[in-house]
Amino acid sequence: MQLRYSFRLYPNTPQRASLARTFGCARVVFNDALRAREDARKAGEAFPAAGELSRKLITEAKRREERSWLREVSAVVLQQSLRDAELAYRNFFASLKGSRKGPKVGSPRFKSRKNSRQSIRFTANARWSITGGGRLSLPKIGAVKVKWSRSLPAKPSSVTVVKDSAGRYFASFVVDTDPAADAARMPDTDHTIGIDLGLAHFAVLSDGTKIDSSRFLRRAEKKLKKAQRELSHKQKGSKNREKARLRVARAHAKVTNARHEFHHQLSTQLIRDNQAIGMEDLAVSALARTPLAKSVHDAGWSTFVTMLEYKAARYGRTLVKIGRFEPTSQTCSACGIKDGPKPLNVREWTCTACGTLHDRDHNAAINIKTAAGLAASACGAPVRPGLVPAQREETGSHGFPPGPCAATRHRVRAGGPESSGFSPRSKSIHP
């Protein structure tokens, strides 16, 4: 599979100027491509082909005086900028047709020189290389110093140079990993786990382990507020305002880096120790519109789940997601009786049927593991609630005559009609 490895770059002053020039040229070519397609659309003409755009916007533009500075940068960077514009339009049209997965995307927009994030991409034909001294040699830029935190597992196929909002430079390499080497790094294990993500604790595992939430944003709020207040007092367009903006961006970058490090370490540990992992399919975008929005964003569940997904695919592990409407926090993990919804302040509850005292999150993690089909009985067979015929007196079965046909039409999970997946309220997490 293809992965990205990112490393910090430390260009000197001339190299920073060359990178800024390259960022600007790539942005101009991208905007020219968008303008050419918009002009064709308004004129009712067919969109120009990629080859025609390359000839007009790069080859012929270099010969004109007003675009002669395009010759100062690598042509591969300009070609990749055109490909980015084509990809943006393909994603937009696929989103309109409904053939693209994920949220809807809008039409491509023009890039601004004031954007806080800039990037350029060099493919193999750009003749970039890694020197013997460990520097990254880029065409018409030079050999840039790289801070290597680890070695690359294989020869990269391309590199993207990124300047983020905090003024830092990074080199992102695309590498094809070796499946055999990945399998050797993570030998098979017979251990499985269920994970319940939350806010009081970042994660509670079915074996009783509780992983505290570090609350990186909450801990840095005082410093962020001070930096943001200083930024608001600076005059727009001044150098002091730019310095204040960098301080705010660096403070946010520090929070993001700490959160990503926490996610990487935890996800790697879970993938290494467990052959199969069960968890809920959370509706994070919906939870971000609730009063808990700041805490939800601070936890970073989506990034953590994404890390689990690609690491499970890389190392041959199994990641099972159950439906978000599964009543895992309402069901007793000992006897399977559904005890009904509970308010957020109830962290422990006693089952009215069997008398078992449950920790709310631990009980949910056990039910997630069971619902994912990862639990096993004493003989090693998988444990999962089976399907049973609904009784005529149960809700939803009135009006149908008793008999085999009615039982066939109405099959629900053990525990009553509410455990079939439908719930009058949208439950996304276990508070």
Side-chain angles (χ1 to χ4, degrees):
M1 63 183 302
Q2 283 191 338
L3 294 177
R4 284 191 175 272
Y5 286 76
S6 184
F7 302 93
R8 182 77 179 269
L9 294 180
Y10 293 92
N12 54 33
T13 302
Q15 291 169 349
R16 288 174 182 265
S18 298
L19 285 171
R21 189 182 306 112
T22 309
F23 289 143
C25 292
R27 181 184 66 250
V28 167
V29 171
F30 183 90
N31 291 341
D32 288 346
L34 262 60
R35 190 174 295 105
R37 298 199 66 159
E38 285 298 311
D39 292 343
R41 182 186 64 84
K42 293 178 180 179
E45 302 173 354
F47 285 153
E52 182 181 355
L53 288 176
S54 177
R55 177 177 55 83
K56 289 183 177 180
L57 303 182
I58 299 178
T59 306
E60 296 180 359
K62 289 180 179 180
R63 300 170 185 169
R64 299 197 302 268
E65 183 178 357
E66 63 271 15
R67 287 285 193 269
S68 59
W69 33 263
L70 291 177
R71 291 176 291 187
E72 299 177 6
V73 302
S74 173
V76 174
V77 172
L78 306 181
Q79 294 290 345
Q80 293 301 316
S81 188
L82 285 181
R83 290 187 174 90
D84 291 342
E86 288 292 324
L87 179 61
Y89 272 105
R90 284 200 301 268
N91 290 336
F92 170 57
F93 292 135
S95 181
L96 289 179
K97 296 177 182 177
S99 58
R100 184 181 184 273
K101 296 182 180 180
K104 295 287 186 179
V105 297
S107 59
R109 295 181 297 180
F110 292 99
K111 292 184 178 181
S112 171
R113 62 185 303 177
K114 296 181 181 180
N115 286 351
S116 59
R117 186 183 185 276
Q118 304 283 344
S119 65
I120 50 176
R121 186 167 61 256
F122 297 88
T123 54
N125 56 351
R127 298 180 180 179
W128 64 272
S129 63
I130 300 175
T131 65
R135 291 177 176 260
L136 178 61
S137 179
L138 300 173
K140 297 189 177 183
I141 294 175
V144 185
K145 181 182 177 181
V146 184
K147 181 65 174 180
W148 298 102
S149 56
R150 53 183 168 174
S151 59
L152 293 173
K155 184 179 180 180
S157 58
S158 67
V159 60
T160 302
V161 179
V162 180
K163 181 184 178 183
D164 67 0
S165 58
R168 303 174 302 174
Y169 294 84
F170 293 91
S172 179
F173 298 92
V174 177
V175 177
D176 291 313
T177 59
D178 184 10
D182 292 338
R185 289 181 57 189
M186 298 278 185
D188 291 342
T189 178
D190 57 354
H191 197 262
T192 59
I193 205 75
I195 304 176
D196 177 61
L197 298 177
L199 296 178
H201 294 87
F202 178 79
V204 178
L205 309 185
S206 56
D207 60 3
T209 304
K210 293 186 177 181
I211 301 168
D212 292 332
S213 179
S214 299
R215 296 182 173 91
F216 299 101
L217 180 63
R218 296 288 188 181
R219 291 190 300 175
E221 272 187 328
K222 184 176 181 180
K223 182 178 179 180
L224 286 170
K225 286 181 180 179
K226 180 179 179 182
Q228 190 67 50
R229 191 182 304 115
E230 292 176 354
L231 173 62
S232 64
H233 293 165
K234 305 301 180 184
Q235 183 179 358
K236 291 186 178 180
S238 65
K239 291 184 178 180
N240 285 335
R241 182 178 179 86
E242 177 61 21
K243 294 177 183 178
R245 187 199 66 79
L246 282 176
R247 284 194 289 269
V248 173
R250 287 166 183 165
H252 278 289
K254 186 175 181 179
V255 172
T256 303
N257 291 343
R259 185 186 298 116
H260 281 185
E261 180 69 14
F262 169 72
H263 288 163
H264 270 298
Q265 291 184 0
L266 179 59
S267 59
T268 301
Q269 178 185 350
L270 293 174
I271 291 295
R272 182 182 60 246
D273 298 341
N274 302 280
Q275 187 66 31
I277 298 174
M279 61 190 316
E280 278 188 308
D281 182 18
L282 299 176
V284 178
S285 59
L287 292 169
R289 297 191 293 269
T290 66
L292 300 173
K294 182 180 288 189
S295 297
V296 170
H297 285 304
D298 193 11
W301 292 331
S302 295
T303 304
F304 176 70
V305 173
T306 301
M307 290 181 183
L308 281 179
E309 288 175 343
Y310 87 77
K311 290 180 182 180
R314 179 181 182 184
Y315 296 113
R317 300 311 201 224
T318 302
L319 182 64
V320 182
K321 290 185 179 181
I322 67 171
R324 63 189 63 165
F325 299 108
E326 193 80 19
T328 53
S329 62
Q330 306 176 21
T331 306
C332 174
S333 59
C335 64
I337 296 299
K338 184 177 177 182
D339 205 18
K342 301 164 187 63
L344 293 176
N345 61 340
V346 177
R347 309 315 302 173
E348 291 184 350
W349 58 281
T350 302
C351 178
T352 56
C354 65
T356 304
L357 177 63
H358 292 294
D359 177 270
R360 183 190 186 108
D361 299 328
H362 183 211
N363 176 73
I366 297 175
N367 289 330
I368 289 174
K369 179 179 178 180
T370 303
L374 305 180
S377 63
C379 61
V383 176
R384 191 181 181 95
L387 299 177
V388 296
Q391 302 300 319
R392 187 172 187 272
E393 61 272 12
E394 290 182 354
T395 303
S397 59
H398 299 285
F400 292 91
C405 59
T408 303
R409 287 194 301 265
H410 296 275
R411 297 175 68 86
V412 297
R413 293 190 181 276
E418 293 181 350
S419 60
S420 61
F422 172 79
S423 175
R425 69 184 184 94
S426 175
K427 185 181 82 65
S428 302
I429 60 170
H430 308 290

